[in-house]
Amino acid sequence: MLMFMLVTTLCYSQLPQLEKPFRIKAAGKVIDLPGSGHAAPFVFDYNGDGKKDIIIGEFSAPMSKKLQAKYDAMTDEEKKNFVRPFGGKARIYINEGTDKNPVFGDYTYLQAGGTDASVKPVCCIGFDPFFTDLDGDKVLDVTSGEYLGGYIHFYKGIKDNPFEFEAPVDIAQPDTMLKANVMDKAMRTANFADFDKDGDLDMIWGNVMGDVYLSLNKGTKKKVDFTYSVPLTTDGKAIKTDGKSDPLPVDWDSDGILDLLVGTEAGDIIFFKGKSKGSTDFAPGISIWTGRIYTGGEKLSYLKIKESMDALGENRPYPGYRVRLGVVDWNNDKKLDLLVGNTFADESGNKDTPISGNVYIFLRK
């Protein structure tokens, strides 16, 4: 027991240290997702003005003002043929301040195929945006997972209109062609990085079971060809969390080797240190909040992880569960900071209590 505590303390002390969080505001108020939750943040310069903007995916939302006005102007016959977008959408908040000190106004919804970009909100996942140039045409595209089917949707960026995207298509993968164990593919979210350092983007994804998978891209920068997914491991054992896993590949400790930050169903965030460039095996995970060690091999208890988070008391970094992660140098100090989107509800347990979600920023010390 003493050795376990020593190892835990040693590893925990080596983690990048974070300041106390603050919640992102827009139009002078904390950004809230009432009745929706499942905040999924992504930060980059959306409109090309040299300042960071934020896009936040959510579970369920009404039509955008633009689309609602278009619908209201339709004839009765046109309304009959109108296809409403699904509720899982992505809010766009444009930075009206400076790059170092962002200030956000009201939001609009991401557009694709002439309507609100959306995914079908089922159970526990909404729009989960990741922006990158996936097809090598020097125009940013966006992807999102979905609860059913195991598909990752690809929304191609439009060169002559950088604020809109084409209607989604599903990214082809051998995994999605198979019918084995549907739950392995449920609630799938993906992030991308050049994992094997061959010049193109590979897919790292999580699911409702708490697994973490890698699908290498054996195509080119301009035409992806993702291979059958393999589990990422820690000391040879498959990485497992307590439930919905949201794996983010990032060099979190700035040693030049890709690490993993994994958000979990119970609200924990686990750091898996990369062992070497291109390796699919990582050091045992450690909670950045509690110091708990994750050794892999079997799914953990949601209730036990929740208990360890709740035991932090007033030092608990945020309420709720099912967190989504992002990283960015928020205050331009040349250090990566952490963004966390959450889902929360009244702790009374009342089934009629509406859920909501916020986005928290943890600046690195």
Side-chain angles (χ1 to χ4, degrees), residues 16 53 60 62 72 82 115 120 161 168 172 191 199 214 230 233 235 237 273 278 316 343 353:
D53 308 302
S60 181
D72 292 341
F82 177 74
T115 187
K120 189 174 183 179
N161 193 343
N191 295 308
L214 167 69
V230 296
T233 60
D235 284 353
K237 298 179 181 179
K273 180 177 174 60
R316 198 183 202 281
T343 301
T353 299

Side-chain angles (χ1 to χ4, degrees), residues 3-4 7 49 71 75 109 114-116 120 147 152 160 180 184 188 199 202 230 244 247 333 335 343 345 351 354 363:
M3 179 59 70
F4 173 81
V7 171
D49 65 355
Y71 176 80
T75 65
Y109 281 116
T115 187
D116 299 342
K120 189 174 183 179
Y147 187 90
I152 301 299
D160 296 328
D184 283 350
R188 195 174 181 199
D202 307 301
V230 296
K244 172 61 189 123
D333 64 355
K335 294 184 287 188
T343 301
K351 66 180 179 63
L363 298 178

Side-chain angles (χ1 to χ4, degrees), residues 310-328:
D310 290 342
L312 294 173
E314 61 184 26
N315 291 321
R316 198 183 202 281
Y318 40 75
Y321 54 96
R322 205 170 293 146
V323 294
R324 299 287 188 273
L325 310 180
V327 292
V328 70

Side-chain angles (χ1 to χ4, degrees), residues 30 35 56 64 83 107 120 124 147 158 183 205 217 225 236 242 245 248-249 256 260 302 318 321 340 351 355-356:
V30 169
I56 303 177
S64 64
V83 179
Y107 63 90
K120 189 174 183 179
C124 323
Y147 187 90
I158 300 174
M183 292 307 290
W205 59 274
N217 179 9
D225 181 14
D242 58 86
S245 50
L248 181 65
L260 289 175
Y302 167 84
Y318 40 75
Y321 54 96
V340 181
K351 66 180 179 63
I355 63 172
S356 192

Side-chain angles (χ1 to χ4, degrees), residues 55-252:
I55 289 78
I56 303 177
E58 63 177 314
F59 180 78
S60 181
M63 286 194 294
S64 64
K65 295 177 181 177
K66 177 180 178 181
L67 189 59
Q68 185 66 55
K70 181 179 178 180
Y71 176 80
D72 292 341
M74 290 179 180
T75 65
D76 290 342
E77 190 62 30
E78 288 174 328
K79 289 180 178 179
K80 289 179 182 179
N81 298 318
F82 177 74
V83 179
R84 289 178 178 271
F86 294 121
K89 299 181 184 179
R91 298 183 178 191
I92 301 170
Y93 291 89
I94 298 298
N95 184 359
E96 300 172 352
T98 66
D99 190 52
K100 185 176 181 179
N101 296 293
V103 176
F104 302 105
D106 202 0
Y107 63 90
T108 57
Y109 281 116
L110 188 73
Q111 298 294 295
T115 187
D116 299 342
S118 64
V119 298
K120 189 174 183 179
V122 177
C123 173
C124 323
I125 178 175
F127 205 101
D128 192 67
F130 190 96
F131 289 82
T132 188
D133 180 10
L134 200 57
D135 56 5
D137 63 356
K138 298 182 180 180
V139 178
L140 284 181
D141 314 300
V142 62
T143 65
S144 177
E146 189 174 283
Y147 187 90
L148 298 173
Y151 292 104
I152 301 299
H153 304 303
F154 169 70
Y155 304 76
K156 179 178 173 58
I158 300 174
K159 185 175 182 179
D160 296 328
N161 193 343
F163 304 111
E164 292 198 16
F165 298 81
E166 293 183 5
V169 296
D170 296 327
I171 294 177
Q173 260 191 287
D175 307 57
T176 57
M177 308 301 176
L178 302 177
K179 299 298 182 182
N181 198 348
V182 175
M183 292 307 290
D184 283 350
K185 305 177 188 67
M187 208 170 166
R188 195 174 181 199
T189 56
N191 295 308
F192 298 84
D194 186 3
F195 193 90
D196 55 2
K197 300 299 179 184
D198 65 350
D200 56 31
L201 292 170
D202 307 301
M203 182 191 298
I204 296 88
W205 59 274
N207 62 8
V208 71
M209 303 299 289
D211 306 317
V212 178
Y213 285 95
L214 167 69
S215 180
L216 290 175
N217 179 9
K218 292 305 182 182
T220 66
K221 284 185 177 180
K222 293 190 175 182
K223 188 175 181 180
V224 298
D225 181 14
F226 290 108
T227 61
Y228 188 83
S229 302
V230 296
L232 293 178
T233 60
T234 172
D235 284 353
K237 298 179 181 179
I239 292 175
K240 300 280 185 178
T241 72
D242 58 86
K244 172 61 189 123
S245 50
D246 186 46
L248 181 65
V250 59
D251 181 9
W252 185 238

